[in-house]
Amino acid sequence: MGSCVQVVVDVGCGTGILSIFCAQAGAKRVYAVDASDIAVQDVEIDEEVDVIISEWMGYMLLYESMLGSVITARDRWLKRGGLILPSNATLYMAPVTHPDRYNESIDFWRNVYGIDMSAMMPLAKQCAFEEPSVETITGENVLTWPHGVKHVDCYTIQIHELESIATAFKFKSMMRAPLHGFAFWFDVEFSGPALYPANNHIPSVVHQIDGCQKKKRANPNEALVLSTAPEDPPTHWQQTLIYFYDPIEVEQDQLIEGSLVLSQSKENARFMNIHLEYASGGRSFVKESVMR
């Protein structure tokens, strides 16, 4: 791990596997801390730490994530020029088509063993598509290049920035297809801050996170990237899908535009409110859902 990287905090340690990896990599001391902000506040560490490591990411990056705990740990213990791993993250969204999923959930009711049960379809749509769905899609389902919803710099982000995130988007469909909803995924990068000495390498422990394939670096100075994008190998985060109750037929090069607001639920801070407004082909829609 290098002579300059000696004291590590693992935020949200769980089974402690990352803490063990850090110790195996040569850390002088490893503090394994529970995930909650309360736990982080209660822990007393009487020294500055060289590295904060955490698998804080949740579904859709921010749902039930431990980023707030990482921020608290950073402000309490990280020495000037210290490392946070992962160091930054980006949440993406893109319109998707997914006829198989729609057919298996909805059109199934048109013919159930030869019986027309289409009267069940409105209820089926509500049950299947009212809340976001965590599942795996492929690059073939994605209709456009993605839009960056939020970039998180773990060295500078503040907790209040997580309370509400808003973005406006504009997509141009690459093909003619039924638009079934929007997919969300994220990347995280492992790199040091500008203040961190250039000759300190990123500890090899980051290669172990989630057992996932990471994007290879062309040279050692480039950031190591873990991607949960549809075109990359699946991870346990998969992708998060927000489905429409009814598909929208879009033509090639047709615009799909609108806005998105992600906010913490007042009912429960762990829940995420999703307010999505979108328009295509002269028709406007609103979809509100809660990730709980």
Side-chain angles (χ1 to χ4, degrees):
M1 193 175 270
S3 59
C4 293
V5 180
Q6 299 184 9
V7 182
V8 178
V9 170
D10 175 7
V11 177
C13 55
T15 61
I17 190 66
L18 293 185
S19 300
I20 294 169
F21 288 154
C22 289
Q24 289 178 337
K28 181 179 177 181
R29 270 185 299 282
V30 181
Y31 296 94
V33 182
D34 190 30
S36 70
D37 285 335
I38 293 174
V40 172
Q41 292 285 5
D42 286 347
V43 169
E44 294 296 333
I45 297 178
D46 296 326
E47 61 182 327
E48 292 185 321
V49 304
D50 300 284
V51 179
I52 294 173
I53 190 165
S54 177
E55 190 177 340
W56 56 263
M57 302 80 72
Y59 296 124
M60 206 171 169
L61 185 63
L62 299 174
Y63 170 65
E64 287 193 331
S65 85
M66 298 180 292
L67 182 53
S69 298
V70 173
I71 294 170
T72 300
R74 176 199 71 195
D75 294 345
R76 290 195 68 193
W77 301 314
L78 188 66
K79 68 168 53 174
R80 180 176 174 82
L83 275 174
I84 304 176
L85 300 173
S87 50
N88 58 77
T90 305
L91 174 64
Y92 297 97
M93 68 179 293
V96 294
T97 185
H98 203 342
D100 291 345
R101 172 72 158 82
Y102 194 86
N103 291 341
E104 102 185 1
S105 299
I106 307 302
D107 289 338
F108 160 81
W109 294 101
R110 298 184 191 277
N111 185 339
V112 183
Y113 302 108
I115 301 170
D116 181 1
M117 300 187 70
S118 55
M120 293 292 294
M121 289 176 63
L123 179 61
K125 290 176 182 179
Q126 185 174 4
C127 292
F129 302 141
E130 181 177 13
E131 296 184 355
S133 174
V134 177
E135 57 190 80
T136 297
I137 60 172
T138 70
E140 294 178 354
N141 296 111
V142 182
L143 290 175
T144 71
W145 293 104
H147 167 78
V149 174
K150 176 67 176 178
H151 179 75
V152 172
D153 183 336
C154 293
Y155 295 102
T156 60
I157 193 167
Q158 301 299 316
I159 288 178
H160 69 83
E161 295 180 54
L162 305 177
E163 295 174 358
S164 183
I165 294 167
T167 188
F169 55 82
K170 180 179 289 188
F171 299 103
K172 182 182 287 188
S173 180
M174 296 183 197
M175 66 189 81
R176 180 182 183 183
L179 169 62
H180 289 104
F182 291 92
F184 295 80
W185 65 87
F186 62 87
D187 293 346
V188 292
E189 293 186 3
F190 298 83
S191 59
L195 291 173
Y196 206 79
N199 60 352
N200 280 299
H201 65 280
I202 298 172
S204 59
V205 65
V206 302
H207 295 267
Q208 306 285 349
I209 290 183
D210 194 47
C212 300
Q213 178 180 337
K214 316 301 185 300
K215 291 184 178 179
K216 295 181 179 179
R217 294 175 290 174
N219 64 70
N221 294 322
E222 290 185 5
L224 185 70
V225 178
L226 163 62
S227 175
T228 67
E231 67 269 20
D232 286 314
T235 71
H236 76 261
W237 289 282
Q238 302 179 276
Q239 290 84 41
T240 300
L241 280 291
I242 296 178
Y243 285 103
F244 308 153
Y245 292 124
D246 295 290
I248 303 169
E249 294 295 331
V250 296
E251 302 293 330
Q252 183 174 342
D253 297 327
Q254 185 168 317
L255 287 180
I256 305 162
E257 53 189 326
S259 62
L260 171 75
V261 178
L262 306 177
S263 58
Q264 289 182 353
S265 170
K266 293 180 180 178
E267 174 188 350
N268 186 326
R270 295 170 65 86
F271 296 169
M272 181 187 293
N273 291 329
I274 302 168
H275 180 85
L276 182 60
E277 298 183 13
Y278 55 99
S280 186
R283 302 169 64 197
S284 299
F285 307 87
V286 176
K287 177 72 186 286
E288 292 191 350
S289 54
V290 181
M291 200 163 184
R292 57 177 98 232

Coordinates of all heavy atoms in Angstrom, one line a residue, residues 157-222:
I157 N -18.0 17.4 -2.0 CA -19.4 17.5 -1.9 C -19.9 17.6 -0.4 O -19.2 17.2 0.5 CB -20.1 16.2 -2.5 CG1 -21.6 16.4 -2.6 CG2 -19.7 14.9 -1.6 CD1 -22.3 15.4 -3.5
Q158 N -21.0 18.4 -0.2 CA -21.5 18.6 1.1 C -22.8 17.9 1.3 O -23.5 17.6 0.3 CB -21.7 20.1 1.4 CG -20.4 20.9 1.2 CD -19.4 20.5 2.2 OE1 -19.7 20.3 3.4 NE2 -18.1 20.4 1.8
I159 N -23.2 17.6 2.5 CA -24.4 16.7 2.8 C -25.7 17.4 2.2 O -26.5 16.8 1.7 CB -24.5 16.4 4.3 CG1 -23.4 15.4 4.7 CG2 -25.9 15.9 4.6 CD1 -23.4 15.1 6.1
H160 N -25.7 18.8 2.3 CA -27.0 19.4 1.9 C -27.2 19.3 0.4 O -28.3 19.4 -0.1 CB -26.9 20.9 2.3 CG -25.9 21.7 1.5 ND1 -26.1 22.2 0.3 CD2 -24.6 22.1 1.9 CE1 -25.1 22.9 -0.1 NE2 -24.1 22.8 0.8
E161 N -26.1 19.0 -0.4 CA -26.3 18.9 -1.8 C -27.1 17.6 -2.2 O -27.6 17.4 -3.3 CB -24.9 18.8 -2.5 CG -24.1 20.1 -2.4 CD -22.8 20.0 -3.1 OE1 -22.8 19.6 -4.3 OE2 -21.8 20.2 -2.4
L162 N -27.2 16.7 -1.2 CA -27.9 15.4 -1.5 C -29.4 15.5 -1.2 O -30.1 14.5 -1.6 CB -27.2 14.3 -0.6 CG -25.7 14.1 -0.7 CD1 -25.3 13.0 0.3 CD2 -25.3 13.8 -2.1
E163 N -29.8 16.6 -0.6 CA -31.2 16.7 -0.3 C -32.1 16.8 -1.5 O -33.2 16.2 -1.5 CB -31.4 17.9 0.6 CG -30.8 17.8 2.0 CD -30.9 19.0 2.8 OE1 -31.5 20.0 2.3 OE2 -30.4 19.0 4.0
S164 N -31.7 17.5 -2.5 CA -32.4 17.6 -3.8 C -31.5 17.8 -5.0 O -30.6 18.6 -4.9 CB -33.4 18.8 -3.7 OG -34.2 18.8 -4.8
I165 N -31.7 17.0 -6.0 CA -30.9 17.0 -7.2 C -31.8 17.2 -8.4 O -32.8 16.5 -8.6 CB -30.1 15.7 -7.4 CG1 -29.0 15.6 -6.2 CG2 -29.4 15.7 -8.7 CD1 -28.4 14.3 -6.1
A166 N -31.6 18.2 -9.2 CA -32.4 18.6 -10.3 C -31.6 18.6 -11.6 O -30.4 19.1 -11.6 CB -33.2 19.9 -10.1
T167 N -32.2 18.2 -12.7 CA -31.5 18.3 -14.0 C -32.5 18.4 -15.1 O -33.6 17.9 -15.0 CB -30.6 17.1 -14.2 OG1 -29.8 17.3 -15.4 CG2 -31.4 15.8 -14.4
A168 N -32.1 19.0 -16.2 CA -32.9 19.1 -17.4 C -32.2 18.2 -18.5 O -31.0 18.2 -18.5 CB -33.1 20.5 -17.9
F169 N -33.0 17.5 -19.3 CA -32.4 16.6 -20.3 C -33.0 16.8 -21.6 O -34.2 17.2 -21.7 CB -32.5 15.1 -19.8 CG -33.9 14.7 -19.5 CD1 -34.7 14.3 -20.6 CD2 -34.4 14.6 -18.2 CE1 -36.0 13.8 -20.3 CE2 -35.7 14.2 -18.0 CZ -36.5 13.8 -19.0
K170 N -32.3 16.5 -22.6 CA -32.7 16.5 -24.0 C -32.0 15.3 -24.8 O -30.8 15.3 -24.9 CB -32.5 17.8 -24.7 CG -33.0 17.9 -26.1 CD -32.8 19.2 -26.8 CE -33.7 20.3 -26.2 NZ -33.6 21.6 -27.0
F171 N -32.8 14.4 -25.2 CA -32.2 13.2 -26.0 C -32.8 13.2 -27.4 O -33.8 13.8 -27.7 CB -32.7 11.9 -25.3 CG -32.2 11.7 -23.9 CD1 -33.1 11.9 -22.8 CD2 -30.9 11.4 -23.6 CE1 -32.7 11.7 -21.5 CE2 -30.5 11.2 -22.3 CZ -31.4 11.4 -21.3
K172 N -32.0 12.6 -28.3 CA -32.5 12.4 -29.7 C -32.4 10.9 -29.9 O -31.3 10.3 -29.9 CB -31.6 13.1 -30.7 CG -32.0 13.0 -32.1 CD -31.1 13.7 -33.1 CE -31.3 15.2 -33.0 NZ -30.5 15.9 -34.1
S173 N -33.5 10.2 -30.2 CA -33.6 8.8 -30.3 C -32.7 8.4 -31.5 O -32.8 8.9 -32.6 CB -35.0 8.3 -30.5 OG -35.0 6.9 -30.6
M174 N -32.0 7.3 -31.3 CA -31.1 6.8 -32.4 C -31.9 5.8 -33.3 O -31.4 5.4 -34.4 CB -29.9 6.0 -31.8 CG -29.0 6.8 -31.1 SD -27.6 5.8 -30.5 CE -26.9 6.9 -29.2
M175 N -33.1 5.5 -33.0 CA -33.9 4.5 -33.8 C -35.4 4.7 -33.6 O -35.8 5.4 -32.7 CB -33.5 3.1 -33.4 CG -33.9 2.7 -31.9 SD -33.2 1.1 -31.4 CE -31.5 1.6 -30.9
R176 N -36.1 4.1 -34.4 CA -37.6 4.0 -34.2 C -37.9 2.8 -33.3 O -37.5 1.7 -33.6 CB -38.3 3.8 -35.6 CG -39.8 3.7 -35.5 CD -40.4 3.5 -36.8 NE -41.9 3.5 -36.8 CZ -42.7 3.3 -37.8 NH1 -42.1 3.0 -39.0 NH2 -44.0 3.3 -37.7
A177 N -38.6 3.1 -32.2 CA -38.9 2.1 -31.2 C -39.9 2.6 -30.2 O -40.1 3.8 -30.1 CB -37.6 1.7 -30.5
P178 N -40.6 1.6 -29.5 CA -41.4 2.1 -28.4 C -40.5 2.5 -27.2 O -39.6 1.8 -26.8 CB -42.3 0.8 -28.1 CG -41.4 -0.3 -28.6 CD -40.7 0.2 -29.8
L179 N -40.8 3.7 -26.7 CA -40.1 4.2 -25.5 C -40.9 3.7 -24.3 O -42.0 4.1 -24.1 CB -40.0 5.7 -25.6 CG -39.5 6.4 -24.3 CD1 -38.1 6.1 -24.0 CD2 -39.6 8.0 -24.6
H180 N -40.2 2.9 -23.5 CA -40.9 2.3 -22.3 C -40.5 3.0 -21.0 O -41.2 2.8 -20.0 CB -40.5 0.8 -22.2 CG -41.2 0.0 -23.3 ND1 -40.5 -0.5 -24.3 CD2 -42.5 -0.4 -23.4 CE1 -41.3 -1.2 -25.1 NE2 -42.5 -1.1 -24.6
G181 N -39.5 3.8 -21.0 CA -39.1 4.5 -19.8 C -37.7 5.0 -19.8 O -37.1 5.1 -20.9
F182 N -37.1 5.2 -18.6 CA -35.8 5.7 -18.5 C -35.0 4.7 -17.6 O -35.5 4.2 -16.6 CB -35.7 7.1 -17.9 CG -36.2 8.2 -18.8 CD1 -37.6 8.5 -18.7 CD2 -35.4 8.8 -19.7 CE1 -38.1 9.5 -19.6 CE2 -35.9 9.8 -20.5 CZ -37.2 10.2 -20.5
A183 N -33.7 4.5 -17.9 CA -32.8 3.7 -17.1 C -31.8 4.7 -16.5 O -31.4 5.7 -17.0 CB -32.1 2.7 -18.0
F184 N -31.3 4.3 -15.3 CA -30.3 5.0 -14.5 C -29.2 4.0 -14.1 O -29.4 2.9 -13.8 CB -30.9 5.6 -13.2 CG -32.0 6.6 -13.5 CD1 -33.3 6.3 -13.8 CD2 -31.7 8.0 -13.4 CE1 -34.2 7.2 -14.1 CE2 -32.6 8.9 -13.7 CZ -33.9 8.6 -14.0
W185 N -28.0 4.5 -14.2 CA -26.8 3.8 -13.8 C -25.7 4.7 -13.4 O -25.9 6.0 -13.5 CB -26.3 2.8 -14.9 CG -25.8 3.5 -16.1 CD1 -24.6 3.9 -16.4 CD2 -26.6 3.8 -17.3 NE1 -24.5 4.4 -17.6 CE2 -25.7 4.4 -18.2 CE3 -27.9 3.6 -17.7 CZ2 -26.1 4.8 -19.5 CZ3 -28.3 4.0 -18.9 CH2 -27.5 4.6 -19.8
F186 N -24.6 4.2 -12.9 CA -23.5 5.1 -12.4 C -22.1 4.5 -12.7 O -22.0 3.3 -12.9 CB -23.7 5.4 -10.9 CG -23.6 4.2 -10.0 CD1 -22.4 3.8 -9.5 CD2 -24.8 3.6 -9.6 CE1 -22.3 2.7 -8.7 CE2 -24.7 2.5 -8.8 CZ -23.5 2.0 -8.3
D187 N -21.2 5.4 -12.7 CA -19.7 5.0 -12.7 C -19.1 5.6 -11.4 O -19.6 6.6 -10.9 CB -19.0 5.6 -13.9 CG -19.4 5.0 -15.2 OD1 -20.1 4.0 -15.2 OD2 -19.0 5.7 -16.2
V188 N -18.1 4.9 -10.9 CA -17.3 5.5 -9.8 C -15.9 5.4 -10.2 O -15.5 4.4 -10.9 CB -17.5 4.8 -8.4 CG1 -18.9 5.1 -7.9 CG2 -17.3 3.3 -8.5
E189 N -15.1 6.4 -9.9 CA -13.7 6.4 -10.2 C -12.8 6.4 -8.9 O -13.2 6.9 -7.9 CB -13.3 7.7 -11.0 CG -13.9 7.7 -12.4 CD -13.5 8.9 -13.2 OE1 -12.6 9.7 -12.7 OE2 -14.0 9.1 -14.3
F190 N -11.6 5.8 -9.1 CA -10.7 5.7 -8.0 C -9.5 6.5 -8.4 O -8.7 6.1 -9.2 CB -10.3 4.2 -7.7 CG -11.5 3.4 -7.3 CD1 -12.4 2.9 -8.2 CD2 -11.7 3.1 -5.9 CE1 -13.4 2.1 -7.9 CE2 -12.8 2.4 -5.6 CZ -13.7 1.8 -6.5
S191 N -9.3 7.7 -7.8 CA -8.2 8.5 -8.1 C -7.9 9.5 -6.9 O -8.8 9.6 -6.0 CB -8.4 9.4 -9.4 OG -9.6 10.2 -9.2
G192 N -6.8 10.1 -6.9 CA -6.4 11.0 -5.8 C -6.8 12.4 -6.0 O -7.0 12.8 -7.2
P193 N -6.9 13.3 -5.0 CA -7.1 14.7 -5.2 C -5.8 15.4 -5.7 O -4.7 14.8 -5.7 CB -7.4 15.2 -3.7 CG -6.6 14.2 -2.9 CD -6.7 12.9 -3.6
A194 N -6.0 16.6 -6.2 CA -4.8 17.3 -6.7 C -3.7 17.5 -5.7 O -2.5 17.5 -6.1 CB -5.2 18.7 -7.2
L195 N -4.0 17.6 -4.4 CA -3.1 17.8 -3.4 C -2.3 16.5 -3.1 O -1.2 16.6 -2.5 CB -3.7 18.2 -2.1 CG -4.3 19.7 -2.1 CD1 -5.1 19.9 -0.9 CD2 -3.2 20.7 -2.3
Y196 N -2.8 15.3 -3.5 CA -2.1 14.1 -3.1 C -0.9 13.9 -3.9 O -0.9 14.1 -5.1 CB -3.1 12.9 -3.3 CG -2.7 11.8 -2.3 CD1 -3.1 11.8 -1.0 CD2 -2.0 10.7 -2.8 CE1 -2.8 10.7 -0.2 CE2 -1.7 9.6 -2.0 CZ -2.1 9.7 -0.7 OH -1.7 8.6 0.2
P197 N 0.3 13.5 -3.4 CA 1.5 13.4 -4.1 C 1.3 12.4 -5.3 O 0.7 11.4 -5.1 CB 2.5 12.8 -3.1 CG 1.9 13.3 -1.8 CD 0.5 13.3 -1.9
A198 N 1.8 12.8 -6.4 CA 1.6 12.0 -7.7 C 2.3 10.6 -7.6 O 1.8 9.7 -8.3 CB 2.2 12.8 -8.9
N199 N 3.3 10.5 -6.7 CA 4.0 9.2 -6.7 C 3.3 8.2 -5.8 O 3.8 7.0 -5.6 CB 5.4 9.3 -6.3 CG 5.6 9.9 -4.9 OD1 4.6 10.3 -4.3 ND2 6.8 9.9 -4.4
N200 N 2.1 8.5 -5.2 CA 1.4 7.6 -4.4 C 0.4 6.9 -5.3 O -0.5 7.5 -5.8 CB 0.7 8.3 -3.2 CG 1.7 8.5 -2.1 OD1 2.2 7.6 -1.5 ND2 1.9 9.8 -1.8
H201 N 0.5 5.5 -5.4 CA -0.4 4.8 -6.2 C -1.7 4.5 -5.5 O -1.8 4.5 -4.3 CB 0.2 3.5 -6.7 CG 0.5 2.5 -5.6 ND1 1.6 2.7 -4.7 CD2 -0.2 1.5 -5.2 CE1 1.5 1.7 -3.8 NE2 0.5 0.9 -4.1
I202 N -2.8 4.2 -6.3 CA -4.0 3.8 -5.7 C -3.9 2.4 -5.1 O -3.4 1.5 -5.8 CB -5.2 3.8 -6.7 CG1 -5.3 5.3 -7.2 CG2 -6.5 3.3 -6.1 CD1 -6.2 5.4 -8.4
P203 N -4.2 2.2 -3.8 CA -4.0 0.8 -3.2 C -4.8 -0.2 -4.0 O -5.9 0.0 -4.5 CB -4.7 1.0 -1.8 CG -4.6 2.5 -1.6 CD -4.7 3.2 -2.9
S204 N -4.1 -1.4 -4.1 CA -4.7 -2.5 -4.9 C -6.0 -3.0 -4.3 O -6.7 -3.8 -5.0 CB -3.7 -3.6 -4.9 OG -3.4 -4.1 -3.6
V205 N -6.4 -2.6 -3.1 CA -7.6 -3.1 -2.5 C -8.8 -2.7 -3.4 O -9.8 -3.4 -3.4 CB -7.8 -2.6 -1.1 CG1 -7.9 -1.1 -1.1 CG2 -9.0 -3.2 -0.4
V206 N -8.7 -1.6 -4.2 CA -9.9 -1.2 -4.9 C -10.2 -2.2 -6.0 O -11.4 -2.2 -6.5 CB -9.7 0.2 -5.6 CG1 -9.3 1.2 -4.5 CG2 -8.6 0.2 -6.6
H207 N -9.3 -3.0 -6.4 CA -9.6 -4.0 -7.4 C -10.6 -5.1 -6.9 O -11.2 -5.8 -7.7 CB -8.3 -4.7 -7.9 CG -7.4 -3.7 -8.6 ND1 -7.4 -3.6 -10.0 CD2 -6.4 -2.9 -8.1 CE1 -6.5 -2.7 -10.3 NE2 -5.9 -2.3 -9.2
Q208 N -10.7 -5.2 -5.6 CA -11.5 -6.3 -5.0 C -13.0 -5.9 -4.9 O -13.8 -6.8 -4.7 CB -11.0 -6.6 -3.6 CG -9.5 -6.9 -3.5 CD -9.2 -8.3 -4.1 OE1 -10.1 -9.1 -4.3 NE2 -7.9 -8.6 -4.3
I209 N -13.3 -4.6 -5.0 CA -14.7 -4.2 -4.6 C -15.7 -4.9 -5.6 O -15.6 -4.8 -6.8 CB -14.8 -2.7 -4.7 CG1 -14.1 -2.1 -3.5 CG2 -16.3 -2.2 -4.7 CD1 -14.2 -0.6 -3.4
D210 N -16.6 -5.6 -5.0 CA -17.8 -6.2 -5.7 C -17.3 -7.4 -6.6 O -18.2 -8.0 -7.2 CB -18.6 -5.2 -6.5 CG -19.9 -5.7 -6.9 OD1 -20.6 -6.3 -6.1 OD2 -20.2 -5.6 -8.1
G211 N -16.0 -7.6 -6.7 CA -15.6 -8.7 -7.6 C -15.9 -8.4 -9.1 O -15.9 -9.2 -9.9
C212 N -16.1 -7.1 -9.4 CA -16.5 -6.7 -10.8 C -15.3 -6.4 -11.6 O -14.3 -6.0 -11.2 CB -17.4 -5.5 -10.7 SG -18.9 -5.7 -9.7
Q213 N -15.5 -6.5 -12.9 CA -14.5 -6.1 -13.9 C -14.5 -4.6 -13.9 O -15.5 -3.9 -14.0 CB -14.9 -6.7 -15.3 CG -13.9 -6.3 -16.3 CD -14.3 -6.8 -17.7 OE1 -15.0 -7.8 -17.8 NE2 -13.9 -6.2 -18.8
K214 N -13.3 -4.1 -13.9 CA -13.1 -2.6 -13.9 C -12.6 -2.3 -15.3 O -12.0 -3.1 -16.0 CB -12.1 -2.2 -12.9 CG -12.2 -2.8 -11.5 CD -13.6 -2.5 -10.9 CE -13.6 -3.0 -9.5 NZ -13.4 -4.4 -9.3
K215 N -12.9 -1.0 -15.7 CA -12.4 -0.6 -17.0 C -10.8 -0.4 -16.9 O -10.4 0.2 -15.9 CB -13.0 0.8 -17.4 CG -14.5 0.6 -17.7 CD -15.1 1.9 -18.2 CE -16.5 1.8 -18.6 NZ -17.1 3.0 -19.0
K216 N -10.1 -0.9 -17.9 CA -8.7 -0.9 -17.8 C -8.2 0.5 -18.0 O -8.7 1.3 -18.8 CB -8.1 -1.9 -18.8 CG -8.4 -3.3 -18.5 CD -7.8 -4.2 -19.6 CE -8.1 -5.7 -19.3 NZ -7.5 -6.6 -20.3
R217 N -7.0 0.8 -17.4 CA -6.4 2.1 -17.6 C -5.3 2.0 -18.7 O -4.6 1.1 -18.7 CB -5.8 2.6 -16.3 CG -6.8 2.9 -15.2 CD -6.1 3.2 -13.9 NE -5.5 2.0 -13.3 CZ -4.7 2.1 -12.3 NH1 -4.5 3.2 -11.7 NH2 -4.2 1.0 -11.8
A218 N -5.3 3.0 -19.6 CA -4.3 3.0 -20.6 C -2.9 3.3 -20.0 O -1.9 2.8 -20.5 CB -4.6 4.1 -21.6
N219 N -2.9 4.0 -18.9 CA -1.6 4.3 -18.2 C -1.9 4.4 -16.7 O -3.1 4.7 -16.3 CB -0.9 5.5 -18.8 CG -1.6 6.8 -18.6 OD1 -1.7 7.3 -17.4 ND2 -2.1 7.3 -19.7
P220 N -0.9 4.3 -15.8 CA -1.2 4.3 -14.4 C -1.7 5.6 -13.9 O -2.2 5.7 -12.8 CB 0.2 4.0 -13.8 CG 1.0 3.3 -14.9 CD 0.5 3.9 -16.2
N221 N -1.6 6.7 -14.6 CA -2.0 8.0 -14.2 C -3.6 8.2 -14.4 O -4.1 9.2 -13.9 CB -1.3 9.1 -14.9 CG 0.2 9.1 -14.5 OD1 0.5 8.9 -13.3 ND2 1.1 9.4 -15.5
E222 N -4.2 7.3 -15.2 CA -5.6 7.4 -15.4 C -6.4 6.8 -14.2 O -5.9 5.8 -13.6 CB -6.0 6.8 -16.7 CG -5.5 7.5 -17.9 CD -6.0 6.9 -19.2 OE1 -6.8 5.9 -19.1 OE2 -5.6 7.3 -20.3

